[in-house]
Structures are given as C-alpha cells and as structure tokens.
C-alpha cells in the first residue's frame, strides 16, 4: 500500500510518489495517484510555480498512467491532471496540451481518455466572464489553448502569437479523413473549449472553429452522433460570435439552402442547425428569420405534404428521408415560435397550417379510415345506445394494431403537436385566444386526433389541448393545495370588509367569521353561470361536448398515461367552466371509479412505451382531483346516482398505504361531504346518510391512526372539522349523530394537544365554531377546554401558531352560542392570556386581540376590564395607530364605555397619556369613551370645551379638538357643539392647531351634515389657508359620512362648484381632487360626465385634477356607481394614458393600477388596448434625460423615471391579476429591460421575476440567458473609490436582490442550470457557476436569510 502523504504538501512529496505510479500492482498505482491528488489539492496556489522540472516529470508520469490497463487508475490520473493544471507553471501549459492532444492509448480500451483529460484540463481554470477583466491564471490558460489546442483542433495555425518558423501542427483533430470517420471526442473537446473560454476567443479563432465544424457535415462517413454534437458545437460558437461573424455565417447557411443539389440529409442538418441557433441566440437570430423561415416552412407546405403521401408507395428509404426532414423542420419551427415569437408573427398562419397538416400525417392509414376515425369524436345529435358505444370503443383502441415498428411517421405527428403547443403557449395571451383562432382552427383538429395510434403522440395532443383550456381561464393558473395549509391572515379578518361605505363604529363586520371558514365548510352551493355569448370561454363551451365524449372513450380502454392525461384535461375543463360535466358525467363515472381503484384493477395490457412512465399512483391522484372539482362545481344531484361506487373507491383510497394517494383521497372526501350534506343536498339527506357515515368512519380512522403519515392525519383532521361544521347547522340531527359529533369533538381536542397535528386541529375547530349557532350542540366543558388550549398557544414563539389560535378565538368570541359556554372564570383566564398581545409591536395580531376583548367585555365586563387591561390600552394609544387596528380599538373602548366600567381607563388616558401620544389617536379614544360611557367615565364634554379655550399650549388644544371632533361625530345631530367652535382656530398662527381644527370640524360634521356643511362651504369661498383647511374638513365629511348620503345630496352641486374653483390653486389640487372623486361616487350620473369632459380640457392642470379625482372613485364599491362607470372607464383610461403631459400620464398609470385591483372585471376585456400604452411608458426615453451642472460636476436627470416606475408598478399589478391577457414575450422584454434601468426599476423587475417564475416557469426558463446578462452586469459593477455611503448601500441592496432572485430561479428551474440541459440556457449556466465561485459567501448569507424567512 502507498504511504500516507506528508502533512505539508511539498514538491518533495510529489517526487516521492512518482516512481510508485509505475508499480506493477494496480492498487499501489491507484493509491499513489490518490495521495498525489490530495497533495495537489491541499497545496497552496503557488507551491509549484518554481518547480518546472518536477511538474514536467509529474505530467510525463500522469500521461503514462492515462494509458493504464486499469480503468480506475486512468480515472484517478485524469483527476490528478485537473488538480495539477491550475498550479503548474505557465510555461508548462502549452507542452502539456501538446502531449495530451497527441496522446495515443495502446493499452486502454477506452479511446476517449485523452479527450477526457483535455476537457478536465480546460475546465480546471477559472472561466472568463464577459465584461470583466479575466484573472492572470485565466489569461495564461487561454494563451496556451490559443497557441496549441485551437491549431491542434483545426489543423493549422490560426494566430501566430509572435512565433516564426514554428513547425506546423499535425492533422487537425476535427479534420475528416477519407479512410476514417470523425472522432466525436474531438467535438466534445471543442464544445468544452468554447463553453469555458468563449468570451476570450478572437473572431479569427471562432471563424476557424466554425469552418472546421461545418466541414464535418459534408463528409459521408460522419456518424449521426457526430453530426448532432457538431450542431451543438456550432450553436455554442454562435453564442460568442460577433454580429458581423454571425451575419456571415447565416449568409452561408442561406446559400446552402439555395443549393439545387442539396440532399435530404444535408437539408435536415441545415434545418436542425437553424433551429438550434434560434434557441441559443434568439435575440440576435430573430432578425434573420425573414429570410430563413421560408426555407423551414417549405418542407411543411401543402405540396410537400401531398408529395410525401404520394411517395408512400415508393421505397421506404425515400419516405424515411422525407419524414426526417419534416421532423427537423417542425422542431426548428417550434424553436422559432418559442424563442423568436415576435419575429415569427408574420408567419403565424403558415406555422399553424403546417402543424395542423402534419399532426394528422399518417401514411399508413387510408384517407377513408382516417375520416372514420376523426368522425368518432365529433358532435352528434343522436345518442348511441350502450351496445353500439361499447363496440365503437373497442374499435377505437383496435387501431393500435395498425402500428408498424418501421413506421416513423409518429415522430412527425408528435413534433407537429409540439408546434401547436408552442403556438398556444406564446400567442394565446390577449392574442390568438381572443380572436378565436386557437379554438376555431386548432382545437377541432386536436379533438379529431384523439384517435391517434401512437401513445406518445396522443399524450402530446392531450397535453396541447389541456394547455389551451388552461389559457382560457381568467388567471391561467391552476393549483391544487390543501385548504388547511393556507395560513390565517388576521388582517383579512379585520380589514377585508365590504368596500361599501359605512359609518365608523359599525363593528358588526369585525366579528364575522373569516371567508376561509365559510368556503372551507362548503355551505355555499356552486355558482354555475351560463358561458358568455362570445370569447374564449364561449368557444370552449361549444367544443366541450366533443372533448368530453372523446376523452370518455379513452378512459375506457387505454394506457395509464393516456388515462391520466385525459383526466387532467377534464379537470381543467371543469375548473375553467366552473362545471360543464352535467350532461356527460354518466359516461365518466364508471371509468373514474376504475381509475381511483387500486392498481390491481387497472388494465395492464397496454402499458408499453410512454405509458409505462405513468404510475398507477399518479393516475389515482389525478382521478381523485377530478372527483373533487366535479363535486365542488356541480350540483349534488349529479353524483347521487353513482355514490355507491364513488364512495367505496374513495374510502379504499383513504386507507391506501401510499400517503400521497391517501392524502388526495381525503380532499375528495371533503368535497363529497360538502355535496352530500345540507344545505346543498337537503332533499336527499336521508338517502346520503349511509355514505356520509362511511366517509366519517374512514376519516376518523385516519385522524387517530398513529401509523399514518403526518400530512394524512392533518388532512383527515381538517375533513373531520368539515363534518362537524356540516353537522352543526341545526339544533338536532345534521350530518353526524350526537354520539359521532361528541366523538369527533373529543378527537379534535385531543389532536389540539398534539404538537404535530395542533395547527390542523385548530383550523378544524375554527370551522366548527364558525358554523355552530346552537348552544345545545356545544358542550360547556369541551368549549372551555378548547378556549384554554387556544389561549395557551398564544405564548408560543411560533407566530403562525399564534395567528391561527387567535383567529379561532375570534370566531369563538364572535359566536354567541360558543361564548355562552364559557363561565366567568374561563373568560377571565382567556382575557389574561390575551393581554401580552395588547402591544403595538405586532399590529397584525393586535387588531384581532382587541376585537376578541371587545366581545368578552360585553359578556362579562367587570371580569375582563381591570388595571392590567387599562394599562395596556394606555400603552398602545400612544402609538400612531390607524386603519383597522384603530377601528378595533375604538370598538373595544365603546364596549367598555357602554358597560359602565370606563372611569379608571379614562383617568389613565387623561393622566398617563394625555399629550404624550398622537393627538388624533388619543382624541378619538377619549371621545369614544366620553360618548359611550356618559356620566360613568367621570368627565363631561364641556370639560374639553373649557380645556380648548383655556389650555396654555397647542398640544393640549389639538388633543381637545380631536376629542370634540370624535364626540361630535358619535353624538350626531344631538351634539351641542357648534361649527364656530372649530373654525375660529383656522386663523391661528400655530403650525398644528389649524389642521387639527379642520380635521375635527370635518369629523364632527360627518355626524351632523346639515348643521356643519353649509358653514364649511361658506368658509371654502375664502382664499388662502381657510380655503385649504375647509377642503380638509370636506374630505373628512365625505370619507366618514357613510350611509347619510341623503344629508349631503342637497349640497352636492354647490360643493362641486366650490371644489372646482378651490382646486385651481396648486396647494389645493390634491385634496380637492380627492373630494371631487368621493363626491362623484355619491352622484355618479351627475359628476362622472363632468370628469370625462375635464379630461379634454386644454389646461394640463385641469386634466390632472380630473385624473386624480378618478383614482379616488375606484376604491369604493357601489352598484349604482359601477353601472355608470362601466361603459366609460376604459375610454377614460385610454384618454388619460395618451395625455400630452408627463405628470398626467404618471397619474393615469396610478388610476389604471387602482382599477386593476378594484375594477378588474371592467378593464379585463380591454387590456389589449391598455397594456401597450403601459408598455410604452415603461421604456427609457432619451429625450427626457437632461444634463444638470452641479458645481464642478455634471449630473444626468431622468425626468421620465417616475413615469417608468409607475408603469412597472402597473405592470406588476396586471401581471398578478390578468397574466393570461398579457403577451408574455412583451412582458418579459420589459422585465429584462428593467433589470438594466435605475435602482427603483431594478427592484420592481426583480419582484416581478419572483412571481413570474411560478406563474409561467416555462417562459421564465426561455429568458434565463437575457436575465443572466443583466444580472452579471449588476454584480460586476464596482463603485468608485470616492462613492458615498448611500451609493454603496444602494449597490449592496441591488446585489442582494439579484442573488436572492438568482437562488430562486435556480431552485425553481434547476434543469436550466444543469450542464446536461440544452444550449438554450448556456449563459445562465455560466452565470450560475460564476456566482457560485465569486459570490459564495454572499450567496450563502442570502440563502440562509431566505430559509429563515420561509421558516
């Protein structure tokens, strides 16, 4: 055995090991090489710099071991070469390449060893990065490769490198000899050379390598493998070609296409090469498609198609060659469509026609037979009887007998289907889908090809049609997830209320159960609306019958893969149409049950080819998902006749040992339970009870099973919660018996105490409590124990656990039946557990906590309200609260006041808080408590009037004004306060007092419009600060008036005129526009036409005011207003976005952004008109960039930056809400362009990429190269030495953002970063390697941050 290497790596240690490399024992040779490799790796980077002879001797020994008879020794020698290469003296690199490239192995069977060693040699050096100065080691390596390897590859000296009278190189490794075929290993070396050193290659070297590679195609002895590798090499070289060199290369290809003596094999290779180039360099190659595309489409023309059919009777060789050309042309066409979408738009019709033509190309089937097959899936008015249907189904599958092993036409049909898929993927969003081309031309042909003989082709056809159906959906995103996995969003419970205006203090909505609880319990029946009269959904509805009939035949006798694809297609149809199987479910029920059954029941007679790839488990999962969406989107009467088979199959699947099947089966159980229990099936409740009990048994078994997977148990617990919720709808009876209900509740309580199932149990209990309105259904002891357990979870560090526990406590407190089960002791304990959350450190939890406390106060005020709660409330009032949290606080204070326990709290607010907090928040709190508590709080309203008039400082006066304003609002018309009490402070010289008076005046006026508004309008006529303050008072009135609109109606016209006049002043424009917008919502028929008129005003200021006013109209939801707005919104948006004024266009983008969030249904049909206007504003406009002199320096100012920022924000909103209506090519073009824009735009573009990678991973993968170029530029940027701190911080922030998105893209799209993937993402792979080496520490830090955030 070889001795252990020395502790310190030294040249002497290497010298000592070299003789052992010639030992007769292969084990000693291997271990010596292993020790040598360790020394080379552990040694410092320069420990061999002066050891030329030692290194040269080491190289000689390693070359000998490359010809070893033992394969493991050879592999270890290759590894040693990779370790030695970067540490060897630079003078040794060229001789080393020379020896490796001329090495001939005599003892080794593997002739690829020298080439493999060369590839390891090349990859051992740091890769150069475009735009970055290469390292010294990289430069030395390139010099050696350019001097030796490139001449060795091509057979002649390309660049002299200053050498004269140097002997020429031996014959090139890429040269084709008449007596032998090309060595494919040499092409592998070429590919590695270009991949690693492509950015450093000179044009002469690229041209020489390209010329030598092209010569490979012309030789008859070149193998197919060599030709394929040569195509990859050419594409890789093109990646680094200059524009001139690429243009010259394309010109040569064009000349070859025009060669009249072009053979079929040469034709196919040229087409393949062009297709590969389109995928590799799409941005640069697209400009040449105008001349190249006709040569690709020519073999796919109608004449070529007819010729191919006529040649079927000729020799098989001629047919095979023609089919190979057609296959290559279709693959190239697919590449054009996916990579150069915009450049292929002029050829859309020809591409569709070619694909439709060849998707039905089957020379082995006669025309009559083909017509008969196609007719098998067409609509028919006559219903066939069962016998005829079975016979037809049998014939449908017997067509497979026609298949011939020698028939390769199926490859052509499969490629044609892929072309159709590419067209649907790239041209559906707001394009061919909307004009009906996809459904009128493509869909009928795809349906007719369900009769396809080859399973591979049939799968492509089904997948293509599924893609079209998905694109028809409004959001084009389909996802299946366990409903219980969604975290409770507490803000949605507090903030997601009706947008309709309401009076502040109307707290009913604060106690409503979350939307999740209602929807998960499934009380609402599915809303099935008839399809629209026109549009993609109408097109789908017209063809759905044909699709369903065709798929139903495939499900009866077909391969597992085909069944799975067919089921996925049906599922997407149901999701998009929210139904659609009502007339056809009878044909699908039996095959669906068969698909859900265990694999032993499936037919295995056809499990060949691609079908073997689809496991039975995946088929069962898809079938269960289909059953779920059928139950969720159809009436319960649809599945009632087939319940025996469906319930039995699903119950069996729940018990399956495969956890994914069992988990999906439980989701199907949930859907079945919703469909089989009241209110959805009140008429058939007794009939369905036996099936519900069977489902209950299997769900309960899985919920308590200790040997079941955690996910299975969690989903079973969730299903149990649904069963309990459905059983708690009435005083007696329901889905479960009393004993079953008691047992289920006990299980949920037990699971609540278990850490692994706690969250699932809490959500299940939440559904039960949110649905149960009968106190007789709930047991007092169980409810108290649940409340105690939930309160205990509020102390846990896990914020998600605290969130769901708090949400469930909110539903418990909001349910009078459940709350009545809690005694005073339990309520006191729960209130005590809630106190730590009464803190401004987490406002999301604070709002819900205050809501719960308000309900508890109304139940037992003296138990809940005490010194600790008062102290906590005084602490949070100091914080600047707002929105839903402030509303919740006021609701709690109102409850405390009404229960006459508010005096201690009032004393705390006055003595401990006072002017120390935000006057607006503290004033509202005190005002609410004064009105609701009356005399019980110990202070009177007049006390604050006295304070206002006598207070020595402005802070106290501002607080008094806020208290009086809130009190006046809550007292309404009974308020004794006069408007003059507030208006007399408008003239104060204080900075804060006038604004506080205006806000208080408006607040009080919202409660008594008739008394206050005339006075305010009179003040509005005065110029200066009084006018500005009056506008703020009007804004408060319009914002908080709510349902008292009838009080405002007499003053609307006068108010509009006053607002219009006052808004001409620059300081009043923003607040005046907001008031006009809110006034428009009140009387849309009167004022909306006026805003529309103002958009045509010659004054930019007036137009801008109208645009701003429109923005404030969109956040409100009012049926009357929506009806008036609907026909004019889009025309108004188009007018705004085309405004001549830059600032007005920025405001218009904000209006469109708001419309996207609030009125999406109004703008979606017209996005094809709106999106191009947004895209236009997202572009950098050089005419808006000016140079400003700042002292001795010149600084560029981009006046269009804010407009572009608004445009990208709008694109982000449109992307989230209407991606299916936006061209993905155009959107990705703007995103990648934004990565090279200013910092703010880069941040928005990165944010968009984090969404797009999930919304459309395929399209994201196709743009990775352009993203890599942008990211490389950002990370390579170095700040100036005199850069200020802010610039460095901004640069670091940009780098962190880039690395974060880089990690995300790599994780979600790992195949694109793999060296084994195609050349389309070659730049991304190089970028990923570079980031991994040069930014390793930063990448690791960002990765840890992302993991901690996810946790």
């Amino acid at each position: 055995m070889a001795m252990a290497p020395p502790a310190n790596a030294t040249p002497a240690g290497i010298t000592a090991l070299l003789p052992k490399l010639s030992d007769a024992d292969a084990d000693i040779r291997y271990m010596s090489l292993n020790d040598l490799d360790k020394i080379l790796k552990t040694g410092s980077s320069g420990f061999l710099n002066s050891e030329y002879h030692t290194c040269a001797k080491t190289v000689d020994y390693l070359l000998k071991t490359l010809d070893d008879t033992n394969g493991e020794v050879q592999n270890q020698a290759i590894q040693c070469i990779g370790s030695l290469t970067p540490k060897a003296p630079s003078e040794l690199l060229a001789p080393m390449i020379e020896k490796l490239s001329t090495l001939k192995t005599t003892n080794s069977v593997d002739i690829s060893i020298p080439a493999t060693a060369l590839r390891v040699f090349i990859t051992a050096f740091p890769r150069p990065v475009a735009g970055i100065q290469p390292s010294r080691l990289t430069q030395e390596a390139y010099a050696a490769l350019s001097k030796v390897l490139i001449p060795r590859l091509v057979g002649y000296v390309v660049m002299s490198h200053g050498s004269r009278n140097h002997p020429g190189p031996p014959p090139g490794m890429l040269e084709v000899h008449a007596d032998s075929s090309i060595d494919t290993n040499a092409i592998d070396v070429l590919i590695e050379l270009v991949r690693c050193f492509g950015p450093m290659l000179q044009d002469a070297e690229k041209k020489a390598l390209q010329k030598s590679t092209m010569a490979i195609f012309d030789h008859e002895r070149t193998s197919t493998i060599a030709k394929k590798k040569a195509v990859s090499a050419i594409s890789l070289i093109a990646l680094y070609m200059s524009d001139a060199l690429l243009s010259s290369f394309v010109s040569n290809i064009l000349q070859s296409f025009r060669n009249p003596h072009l053979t079929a094999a040469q034709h196919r290779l040229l087409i393949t090469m062009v297709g590969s180039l389109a995928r590799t360099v799409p941005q640069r190659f697209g400009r040449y498609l105008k001349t190249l595309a006709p040569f690709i489409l020519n073999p796919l023309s109608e004449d070529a198609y007819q010729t191919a059919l006529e040649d079927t009777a000729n020799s098989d060789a001629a047919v095979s060659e023609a089919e190979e050309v057609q296959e290559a042309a279709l693959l190239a066409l697919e590449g054009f469509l996916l990579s150069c979408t915009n450049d292929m738009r002029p050829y859309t019709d020809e591409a569709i026609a070619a694909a439709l033509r060849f998707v039905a190309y089957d020379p082995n089937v006669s025309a009559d037979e083909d017509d008969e097959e196609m007719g098998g899936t067409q609509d028919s008015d006559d219903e066939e009887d069962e016998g005829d249907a079975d016979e037809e189904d049998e014939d449908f599958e017997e067509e497979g007998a026609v298949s011939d092993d020698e028939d390769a036409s199926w490859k052509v049909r499969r490629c044609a289907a892929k072309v159709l898929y590419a067209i649907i993927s790239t041209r559906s969003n707001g394009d061919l889908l909307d004009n009906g081309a996809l459904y009128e031309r493509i869909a009928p042909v795809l349906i007719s090809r369900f009769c396809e003989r080859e399973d591979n082709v049939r799968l492509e056809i089904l997948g293509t049609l599924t893609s079209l159906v998905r694109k028809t959906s409004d959001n084009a995103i389909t996802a299946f997830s366990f409903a219980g996995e969604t975290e409770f969003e507490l803000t949605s419970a507090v903030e997601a209320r009706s947008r309709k205006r309401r009076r502040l203090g109307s707290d009913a909505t604060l106690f409503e159960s979350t939307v999740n609880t209602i929807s998960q319990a499934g009380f609402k029946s599915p809303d099935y609306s008839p399809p629209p009269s026109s549009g993609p959904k109408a097109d789908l509805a017209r063809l759905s019958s044909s699709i369903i009939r065709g798929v139903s035949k495939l499900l009866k006798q077909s391969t597992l893969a085909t069944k799975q694809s067919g089921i996925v297609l049906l599922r997407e149809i149901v999701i998009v149409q929210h139904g659609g199987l009502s007339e056809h479910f009878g044909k699908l029920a039996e095959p669906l049950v068969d698909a859900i059954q265990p694999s032993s029941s499936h037919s295995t007679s056809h499990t060949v080819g691609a079908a073997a790839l689809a496991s039975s488990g995946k088929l069962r999962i898809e079938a269960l998902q289909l059953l779920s969406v059928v139950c969720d989107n159809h009436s319960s009467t649809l599945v009632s006749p087939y319940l025996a088979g469906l319930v039995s199959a699903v119950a069996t699947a729940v018990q399956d040992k495969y956890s994914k099947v069992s988990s999906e089966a439980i989701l199907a159980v949930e859907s079945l339970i919703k469909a089989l229990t009241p209110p959805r099936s009140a008429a058939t409740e007794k009939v369905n009870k036996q099936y519900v009990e069977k489902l209950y048994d299997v769900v309960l078994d899985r919920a308590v099973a200790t040997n079941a997977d955690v996910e299975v148990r969690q989903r079973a617990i969730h299903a149990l919660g649904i069963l309990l919720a459905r059983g708690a709808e009435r005083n007696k009876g329901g889905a479960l018996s009393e004993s079953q209900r008691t047992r289920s509740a006990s299980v949920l309580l037990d699971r609540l105490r278990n850490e692994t199932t706690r969250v699932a149990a809490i959500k299940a209990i939440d559904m039960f409590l949110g649905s149960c309105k009968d106190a007789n259904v709930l047991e007092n002891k169980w409810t108290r124990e649940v409340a105690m357990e939930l309160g205990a979870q509020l102390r846990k560090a896990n914020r998600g656990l605290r969130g769901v526990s708090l949400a469930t406590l909110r539903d418990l407190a909001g349910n009078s039946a459940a709350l009545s089960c809690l005694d005073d002791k339990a309520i006191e304990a729960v209130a005590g557990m809630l106190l730590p959350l009464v803190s401004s450190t987490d406002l999301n939890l604070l709002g819900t906590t205050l809501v719960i406390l308000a309900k508890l106060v109304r139940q037992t005020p003296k138990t809940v309200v005490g010194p600790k709660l008062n102290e906590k409330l005084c602490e949070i009032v100091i914080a600047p609260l707002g929105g839903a949290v402030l509303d919740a606080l006021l609701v709690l204070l109102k409850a405390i006041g009404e229960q006459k326990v508010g005096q201690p709290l009032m004393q705390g607010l006055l003595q401990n808080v006072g002017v120390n907090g935000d006057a607006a928040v503290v004033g509202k709190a005190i005002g609410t408590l004064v009105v609701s508590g009356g005399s019980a709080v110990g202070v009177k309203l007049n006390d604050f009037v006295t304070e206002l008039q006598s207070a020595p400082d402005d802070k106290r006066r501002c607080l008094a004004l806020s208290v009086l304003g809130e009190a006046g609002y809550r007292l309404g018309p009974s308020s004794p306060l006069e408007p003059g009490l507030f208006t007399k402070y408008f003239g104060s010289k204080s900075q804060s007092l006038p604004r506080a008076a205006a806000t208080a005046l408006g607040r009080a006026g919202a409660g008594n419009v008739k008394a206050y508004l005339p006075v305010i309008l009179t003040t509005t006529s005065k110029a200066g600060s009084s006018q500005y303050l009056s506008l703020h008072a009007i804004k408060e009135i319009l914002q908080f008036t709510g349902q008292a609109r009838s009080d405002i109606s007499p003053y609307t016209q006068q108010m509009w005129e006053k607002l219009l006049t006052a808004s001409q002043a620059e300081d009043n424009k923003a607040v005046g526009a907001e008031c006009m917008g809110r006034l428009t919502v009140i009387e849309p028929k009167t004022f909306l036409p006026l805003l529309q008129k103002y958009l045509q005003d010659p004054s930019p200021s007036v137009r801008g005011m109208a645009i701003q006013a429109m923005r404030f109209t969109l956040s409100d939801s009012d049926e009357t207003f929506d009806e008036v707005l609907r026909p004019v919104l889009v025309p108004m948006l188009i007018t705004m976005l085309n405004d001549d004024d830059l600032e007005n266009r920025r405001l218009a983008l904000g209006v469109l952004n708001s419309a996207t969030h609030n009125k999406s249904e109004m703008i979606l049909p017209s996005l094809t008109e709106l999106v191009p206007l947004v895209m236009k504003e997202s572009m950098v406009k050089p005419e808006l960039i000016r140079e400003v002199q700042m002292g001795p320096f010149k600084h560029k100012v981009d006046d269009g930056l804010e407009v572009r920022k608004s445009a990208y924000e709008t694109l982000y909103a449109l992307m989230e809400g209407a991606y299916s209506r936006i061209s993905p090519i155009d959107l990705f073009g703007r995103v990648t362009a934004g990565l090279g824009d200013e910092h703010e735009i880069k941040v928005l573009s990165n944010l968009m990429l984090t969404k797009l990678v999930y919304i459309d991973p395929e399209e994201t993968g196709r743009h990775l190269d352009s993203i890599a170029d942008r990211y490389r530029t950002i990370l390579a940027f170095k700040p100036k030495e005199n850069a200020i701190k802010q610039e460095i911080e901004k640069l670091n922030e940009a780098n962190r953002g880039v690395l974060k998105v880089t990690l995300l893209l790599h994780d979600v799209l790992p195949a694109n970063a793999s060296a084994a993937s195609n050349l389309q993402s070659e730049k991304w792979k190089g970028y990923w390697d570079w980031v991994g080496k040069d930014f390793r520490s930063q990448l690791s830090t960002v990765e840890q941050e992302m993991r901690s955030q996810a946790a």
Side-chain angles (χ1 to χ4, degrees), residues 412-432:
V412 177
R413 299 194 298 276
R414 184 181 63 178
C415 291
K418 289 183 177 181
V419 171
L420 294 175
Y421 183 90
I423 293 171
I424 292 170
S425 299
T426 58
R427 297 295 304 280
S428 59
N429 296 20
D431 193 356
L432 299 180

Side-chain angles (χ1 to χ4, degrees), residues 882-1164:
V885 177
L886 179 57
D887 290 351
L889 173 62
L890 297 181
V891 168
L892 174 57
L893 294 174
K894 181 182 177 183
I896 292 174
E898 289 174 345
Q899 300 303 319
K900 308 303 179 183
V901 289
Q903 185 174 3
L905 177 58
M906 177 63 77
Q907 292 176 354
L909 291 173
L910 293 175
Q911 297 174 6
N912 302 329
V913 179
V915 295
N916 296 324
D918 185 351
V921 176
V922 178
K924 288 183 178 181
I926 295 175
T928 301
L929 203 54
V930 166
V931 175
S932 61
S935 59
V937 297
V939 292
K940 299 178 181 179
L941 192 60
N942 287 334
D943 295 338
F944 294 98
V945 175
T946 304
E947 177 75 6
L948 174 63
Q949 295 172 345
S950 61
D953 59 273
D954 291 342
K955 287 186 177 181
R956 294 182 182 276
R957 290 183 178 181
C958 288
L959 177 59
L961 283 169
S962 181
V963 172
L964 293 172
E966 185 67 22
Y969 168 72
R970 294 187 177 274
L971 288 171
S974 62
S975 171
L977 304 176
E978 296 294 334
L981 181 67
F982 304 99
T983 56
K984 69 179 182 180
Y985 294 98
F986 279 13
S988 173
K989 295 181 180 180
S990 170
Q991 293 183 349
S992 56
L993 197 58
R995 182 65 179 270
T999 303
L1001 175 64
R1003 187 77 167 163
N1008 192 0
V1009 174
K1010 294 180 180 180
Y1012 278 74
L1013 190 54
V1015 178
I1016 296 173
L1017 291 176
T1018 302
T1019 312
T1020 308
S1021 303
K1022 301 177 181 179
S1025 60
S1026 295
Q1027 187 180 67
Y1028 175 77
L1029 294 171
S1030 297
L1031 292 178
H1032 276 281
I1034 292 174
K1035 184 186 76 171
E1036 290 289 322
I1037 290 177
L1038 294 174
Q1039 187 172 357
F1040 294 101
T1041 298
Q1043 297 175 354
R1045 293 183 179 180
S1046 58
D1047 296 338
I1048 297 180
S1049 297
Y1051 306 97
T1052 54
Q1053 190 63 43
Q1054 182 185 0
M1055 198 185 310
W1056 182 270
E1057 294 173 359
K1058 298 282 187 182
L1059 291 171
L1060 185 61
T1061 303
S1063 298
Q1064 300 303 313
E1066 190 64 30
D1067 292 342
N1068 299 341
K1069 186 182 296 183
V1071 64
E1074 180 177 352
C1075 293
M1076 294 175 73
R1078 297 188 184 280
L1079 198 56
T1080 302
V1081 176
I1082 296 175
E1083 292 192 10
K1085 294 181 180 180
T1086 303
F1087 299 121
L1088 194 58
L1090 292 179
L1091 288 181
Q1092 197 171 7
K1093 177 183 176 182
Y1094 295 156
L1095 292 176
Q1096 306 294 337
D1097 195 276
S1099 171
S1101 178
V1102 174
R1103 298 198 304 271
M1105 178 192 63
I1107 294 172
Q1108 283 182 291
M1110 277 300 301
R1111 181 176 182 180
F1112 291 102
T1113 67
L1114 300 176
S1115 59
D1116 291 276
S1117 179
D1118 183 275
E1119 294 180 2
T1120 304
F1121 173 71
D1122 287 351
E1123 288 301 316
V1124 179
L1125 179 66
R1126 195 180 309 277
V1128 300
L1129 178 58
V1130 172
M1132 291 179 73
L1133 286 171
I1134 294 175
T1135 303
M1136 297 176 196
L1137 293 170
N1138 284 309
D1139 197 285
D1140 296 333
D1141 187 78
L1142 185 67
E1143 176 63 15
N1144 286 350
R1145 293 202 300 274
R1146 184 187 70 81
L1147 295 173
L1149 289 167
V1151 176
L1152 177 56
N1153 196 336
S1154 179
T1156 303
H1157 287 101
N1158 300 293
K1159 309 291 181 184
S1160 57
E1161 72 283 354
M1162 295 186 189
I1163 67 170
L1164 279 179

